[in-house]
Amino acid sequence: MEKQGTIIKVSGPLVVAKGMEGARMYEVVRVSEHKLIGEIIGIEDDKASIQVYEETSGVGPGEPVYPTGETMTVELGPGLLQSIYDGIQRPLPLIQKKAGAYITRGIDVPGLDREKKWDLKAVKSTGESVVGGDILGEVEETSLITHKIMVPPTVSGTIKEIKSGAFNIEEVIAVIEDKEGKEHKVTMLQKWPIRNPRPVKKKAVPNRPLVSGTRILDTMFPLAKGGAGCIPGPFGAGKTVTQQTLAKYCDAEIIVYIGCGERGNEMTDVLMEFPELEDPNTGERLMKRTVMVANTSNMPVAAREASIYTGATIAEYFRDMGYSVALMADSTSRWAEALREMSGRLEEMPGEEGYPAYLGSRTAQFYERSGIVKCLGNEDREGSLTLIGAVSPPGGDLSEPVTQNTLRVTKVFWGLDAKLAYKRHFPAINWLTSYTLYTDNIKDYWDKEISPEFSELRTEALGILQEEAKLEEIVRLVGMDALSPKERLILETAKSLREDFLFQNAFDKIDAYTPLKKQYWMLKSIMNVNHVAQKVIEGEDFNFEDLLKLPVMERVTNSKLLGADAEDDYKKLWEDTEREILSLQKA
Ligand code: ADP
């Protein structure tokens, strides 16, 4: 910190300093005697524009700026899980302890505990040759997750020394000698610049679903493991509940949850609630496989801008160990607004609705960090990172720039609908506007693991729901009597699909999670009624009321209550459906 610049302008989170020759883009600097943390986001001649991650009030022209020569990095290593960080990886509970409820400025709290000793079991031995990404040892980080200590991506060579035992993250646990004979000391702590995606050997095509147990998501609009999806929705439509349900039930091994507060206390709610959530598979705390990045709304906007990169880097690190990771960002609109505010203060040419012209490319860069990958290293390991971003378009208007730019790069769109939420149809995901582009990719998986008829039933069900929307229009104009028996059956099936299948209460212990196989059985139960009924509805004295009164109809409605392994009960239901409905023919 010998050479220093001088502040010439302060505008909220933006500080401009002169005398900054030699400074680099995205270099971290310390601003004023308070040593506020900032990052260079623009350079012109000897002037640098700095976004400051802390409150800048009281800082003014003439004060110093100290370059650090480092870029914005996150610390990676044991201790990440169960942590709650702010946007630049300062542990929230720790800074609160150190600084009180209101975070004072310029305090240095490292992202990972330096004292704590972790039990490391080496899995390699002296003399073995390794490349970046290879696993050197394992640490039981929590009772749910084994943390793999990897060779840093840039190092390769022969192991000269490797240890097992209890170490803190700064102690040397291995020494690797490279081709040039240079020795690299490896610790359990790695640092990685947040804006650079971590390297992988190869990206593969996502070909398996991320199963969440939410029927409308898994069956109708599935997201692939390693894919990217977005949940746009107006305030109160269920973004947070959907994201949290996903965090709780989806079959990813690691969850990274980035919260950008909507209103003052909302993030505080999430911060209080999340650590209490139970992992339904193990009964343990969900936090044991979760990392949270939280921005309360009283934190400076710049920290919000950084938070999604901090979260993505942590998520990639666990992906590199071979885990399936799901990252939820709620809501990315707050991130985009931070981008807009900084851009405005930089006096850049504004694009649509005041957002910077690079909103699209930044959004794409973020979602491109998703993927199913062959991990770096000589070992044949696969990891995945699935990204799910909520968007909160003002007034629910999906034509606004953040939603549009997100839709361009995500392949799944779960459109939350205020009207459905108002009717208390949950999850309030509109089945007419939502879509997925992953069905072709995961069809093979469905055919093999679920049933060869599953994807056909799904297509048919979606078709019926679309037909319903058209028919409703006719019914509104000329009434039910104008419909043919076939059309009437479509309406009945659609109603059953909506009420018995799509409706799902996230707060009901049994209903909250439906395994994929059971989703298929339920869907088949409903579609089976439709298929069998088609054979009888054209009959002369067929009456819809008779059909609806059949005992099996109630059993179909309640089929969600059958157990997750009740295949035989479902088969019985299908047989009984056939028998009862066909019996109407003779009457
Ligand atoms: P948003 O984040 O979009 O503002 P929330 O996720 O907070 O909206 O949802 C608002 C309310 O809607 C919740 O408090 C809850 O009562 C209800 N809700 C949303 N989704 C569901 C669901 N899947 N099951 C039951 N209730 C839901």
Side-chain angles (χ1 to χ4, degrees):
M1 285 204 187
E2 330 79 57
K3 227 186 95 19
Q4 63 187 58
T6 311
I7 297 179
I8 52 174
K9 177 181 153 188
V10 178
S11 158
L14 175 75
V15 164
V16 182
K18 64 171 188 188
M20 297 289 290
E21 298 93 345
R24 287 173 301 125
M25 273 300 270
Y26 300 123
E27 180 174 342
V28 173
V29 295
R30 289 306 188 110
V31 175
S32 87
E33 292 306 346
H34 293 299
K35 304 270 165 65
L36 307 183
I37 302 167
E39 184 184 13
I40 296 179
I41 55 166
I43 299 176
E44 216 185 307
D45 305 328
D46 74 326
K47 290 193 199 68
S49 301
I50 299 156
Q51 69 175 353
V52 181
Y53 292 115
E54 299 179 84
E55 188 52 57
T56 55
S57 56
V59 174
E63 292 192 60
V65 169
Y66 307 98
T68 66
E70 284 173 23
T71 47
M72 203 68 190
T73 53
V74 281
E75 296 191 348
L76 303 167
L80 283 169
L81 295 173
Q82 313 197 64
S83 291
I84 303 178
Y85 292 119
D86 75 355
I88 51 171
Q89 211 204 4
R90 295 181 302 177
L92 282 181
L94 284 188
I95 19 184
Q96 267 165 13
K97 216 189 278 166
K98 200 154 167 182
Y102 287 88
I103 299 163
T104 43
R105 300 183 291 178
I107 51 171
D108 262 318
V109 190
L112 292 174
D113 191 332
R114 295 292 190 272
E115 311 294 321
K116 180 161 179 164
K117 298 258 185 189
W118 298 93
D119 252 320
L120 173 74
K121 251 198 244 90
V123 297
K124 292 265 182 330
S125 8
T126 324
E128 282 189 72
S129 62
V130 287
V131 298
D134 283 348
I135 293 170
L136 292 170
E138 293 180 346
V139 169
E140 292 296 323
E141 184 173 353
T142 67
S143 49
L144 300 181
I145 298 295
T146 303
H147 194 113
K148 315 277 168 70
I149 307 297
M150 296 170 285
V151 178
T154 49
V155 175
S156 66
T158 311
I159 300 178
K160 288 210 58 179
E161 198 185 326
I162 185 159
K163 298 177 195 163
S164 289
F167 304 101
N168 70 38
I169 56 169
E170 286 182 315
E171 287 174 89
V172 175
I173 54 110
V175 178
I176 295 170
E177 187 184 279
D178 67 18
K179 275 208 293 282
E180 281 78 46
K182 192 171 163 234
E183 288 190 351
H184 299 265
K185 294 193 166 77
V186 180
T187 63
M188 288 194 268
L189 170 67
Q190 291 190 21
K191 294 191 182 181
W192 192 263
I194 59 171
R195 293 178 198 279
N196 299 356
R198 282 174 62 86
V200 298
K201 210 166 10 179
K202 199 171 121 205
K203 276 207 176 183
V205 181
N207 60 358
R208 270 169 291 149
L210 181 86
V211 177
S212 67
T214 300
R215 297 185 289 266
I216 187 161
L217 306 185
D218 294 350
T219 296
M220 298 304 180
F221 309 107
L223 173 58
K225 272 211 179 102
C230 82
I231 315 181
F235 175 71
K239 291 181 296 296
T240 307
V241 174
T242 309
Q243 293 270 44
Q244 285 194 18
T245 313
L246 279 165
K248 218 166 137 180
Y249 292 107
C250 82
D251 58 350
E253 291 154 305
I254 305 279
I255 304 294
V256 178
Y257 194 97
I258 307 172
C260 296
E262 300 262 338
R263 297 150 286 155
N265 287 328
E266 185 166 295
M267 201 54 224
T268 328
D269 289 349
V270 176
L271 285 180
M272 307 278 281
E273 276 166 26
F274 215 100
E276 299 298 317
L277 292 182
E278 209 175 79
D279 181 358
N281 294 320
T282 56
E284 301 235 34
R285 295 259 164 264
L286 188 60
M287 280 306 280
K288 290 195 168 173
R289 53 188 187 88
T290 302
V291 185
M292 281 189 86
V293 179
N295 296 277
T296 55
S297 45
N298 54 6
M299 286 182 200
V301 287
R304 243 192 266 160
E305 196 273 328
S307 64
I308 70 164
Y309 303 104
T310 299
T313 309
I314 294 173
E316 285 173 345
Y317 175 65
F318 281 102
R319 171 205 65 191
D320 292 346
M321 295 178 202
Y323 286 117
S324 57
V325 184
L327 180 150
M328 286 100 196
D330 180 20
S331 125
T332 57
S333 296
R334 302 285 94 80
W335 163 78
E337 281 158 20
L339 214 58
R340 173 166 69 183
E341 178 167 344
M342 288 314 296
S343 168
R345 292 186 190 270
L346 285 166
E347 293 167 13
E348 292 170 338
M349 178 88 85
E352 243 181 301
E353 291 189 22
Y355 287 104
Y358 47 79
L359 172 66
S361 58
R362 291 282 169 89
T363 309
Q365 278 162 15
F366 169 63
Y367 284 103
E368 276 161 12
R369 295 178 80 158
S370 66
I372 197 156
V373 307
K374 289 263 177 254
C375 303
L376 209 61
N378 279 332
E379 293 139 8
D380 192 25
R381 216 165 49 233
E382 200 173 79
S384 67
L385 172 54
T386 312
L387 294 182
I388 303 159
V391 184
S392 27
D397 167 22
L398 297 184
S399 67
E400 60 90 39
V402 184
T403 313
Q404 285 302 313
N405 280 300
T406 307
L407 286 182
R408 226 163 271 155
V409 288
T410 53
K411 289 190 173 180
V412 166
F413 167 75
W414 292 324
L416 287 165
D417 189 328
K419 279 205 261 359
L420 289 173
Y422 184 70
K423 283 194 225 159
R424 307 216 53 81
H425 174 100
F426 290 118
I429 292 168
N430 186 318
W431 50 88
L432 299 174
T433 54
S434 299
Y435 62 77
T436 174
L437 302 179
Y438 287 115
T439 39
D440 287 348
N441 301 33
I442 59 182
K443 185 172 178 302
D444 274 351
Y445 176 92
W446 277 349
D447 287 352
K448 267 197 225 100
E449 303 294 326
I450 306 303
S451 160
E453 65 175 352
F454 183 53
S455 77
E456 207 174 307
L457 283 176
R458 165 192 177 268
T459 312
E460 198 187 352
L462 279 173
I464 284 178
L465 288 164
Q466 276 156 14
E467 282 290 311
E468 179 195 37
K470 286 186 215 148
L471 291 174
E472 270 178 342
E473 196 56 32
I474 298 178
V475 172
R476 240 194 310 276
L477 292 172
V478 289
M480 203 66 144
D481 295 339
L483 299 183
S484 69
K486 244 200 177 120
E487 290 167 333
R488 175 84 199 269
L489 179 61
I490 286 173
L491 289 188
E492 294 299 345
T493 309
K495 180 162 177 272
S496 178
L497 284 169
R498 279 188 286 109
E499 295 178 0
D500 308 333
F501 189 78
L502 299 183
F503 177 86
Q504 193 171 356
N505 186 350
F507 301 113
D508 181 282
K509 260 208 143 64
I510 300 174
D511 202 23
Y513 181 85
T514 311
L516 201 49
K517 268 240 163 78
K518 183 173 162 182
Q519 298 190 26
Y520 155 63
W521 297 331
M522 285 176 67
L523 184 64
K524 179 159 169 145
S525 303
I526 294 167
M527 295 308 295
N528 189 44
V529 171
N530 177 286
H531 294 161
V532 183
Q534 282 185 28
K535 300 182 192 161
V536 302
I537 52 172
E538 304 287 353
E540 249 179 40
D541 40 26
F542 174 78
N543 183 343
F544 264 97
E545 304 316 315
D546 294 341
L547 174 71
L548 299 180
K549 269 190 274 179
L550 290 175
V552 283
M553 297 306 277
E554 196 172 327
R555 285 169 60 197
V556 169
T557 297
N558 291 331
S559 88
K560 67 172 73 161
L561 302 177
L562 292 176
D565 50 3
E567 184 167 14
D568 291 341
D569 294 338
Y570 281 99
K571 284 192 172 147
K572 176 92 176 37
L573 175 60
W574 303 335
E575 284 163 22
D576 292 348
T577 301
E578 173 128 13
R579 191 171 34 75
E580 286 189 23
I581 295 181
L582 290 183
S583 78
L584 291 173
Q585 234 170 0
K586 290 175 220 130

